[in-house]
Amino acid sequence: MPPLWPYLLLLVPAAPLVYTDFRMRCVSVWSLAVLCGEAVAVGWTSFGFRPMLLHAGVNAGILVIFSAAMLGYQLLRHRPVRTFFEQSFGLGDIVMMIAVVPLFVPGSYVRFLLVSCLAALAWWMVKRTETIPFAGIMAFVLGVYVLCKTFGLWN
């Protein structure tokens, strides 16, 4: 069984991501880059190099399928795709989704995205703001996942 302590290293870039996205509504490129590098390192130590690459490829394919579904929805509603990315989805949200692909097997990645979306919906229902700090919410969910995995609450 691989050691679980490397997962704790993911909290170092995730905590500032949560803080800056909730407080200032921006995400640091450096925090995302460090998170991506650490996710590759943790995925490599947990699964091995080839399985980590396979999981990352499949998870990236899942993101492509979800993106195609969002594009189709925008086209069916006769809305310009550009406005979707200007008003609804930020670049930090997209990079955050891509940064964590090496950490999860495909089924767990879909669950991670689903829990992140449900947490974002719950946050919005309480706050009722115009925008949702989705990258920060994903970083928070990742932090909860990391703590649960490290302390044996998650297999």
Side-chain angles (χ1 to χ4, degrees), residues 67-151:
S67 299
M70 287 190 298
L71 175 66
Y73 176 75
Q74 290 297 310
L75 293 175
L76 284 175
R77 304 241 2 224
H78 301 293
R79 292 183 178 171
V81 176
R82 185 190 67 204
T83 60
F84 176 74
F85 289 105
E86 288 175 354
Q87 298 172 358
S88 300
F89 239 70
L91 186 60
D93 303 333
I94 296 166
V95 173
M96 179 68 185
M97 283 189 262
I98 294 170
V100 296
V101 294
L103 287 175
F104 299 100
V105 295
S108 295
Y109 185 65
V110 171
R111 283 191 295 267
F112 168 76
L113 290 177
L114 180 64
V115 168
S116 296
C117 289
L118 291 174
L121 181 63
W123 185 87
W124 178 80
M125 289 176 69
V126 171
K127 294 288 186 175
R128 296 286 182 176
T129 59
E130 290 183 22
T131 60
I132 297 173
F134 193 53
I137 290 173
M138 282 191 291
F140 179 78
V141 170
L142 178 67
V144 171
Y145 166 77
V146 162
L147 291 175
C148 289
K149 181 138 182 113
T150 303
F151 296 115

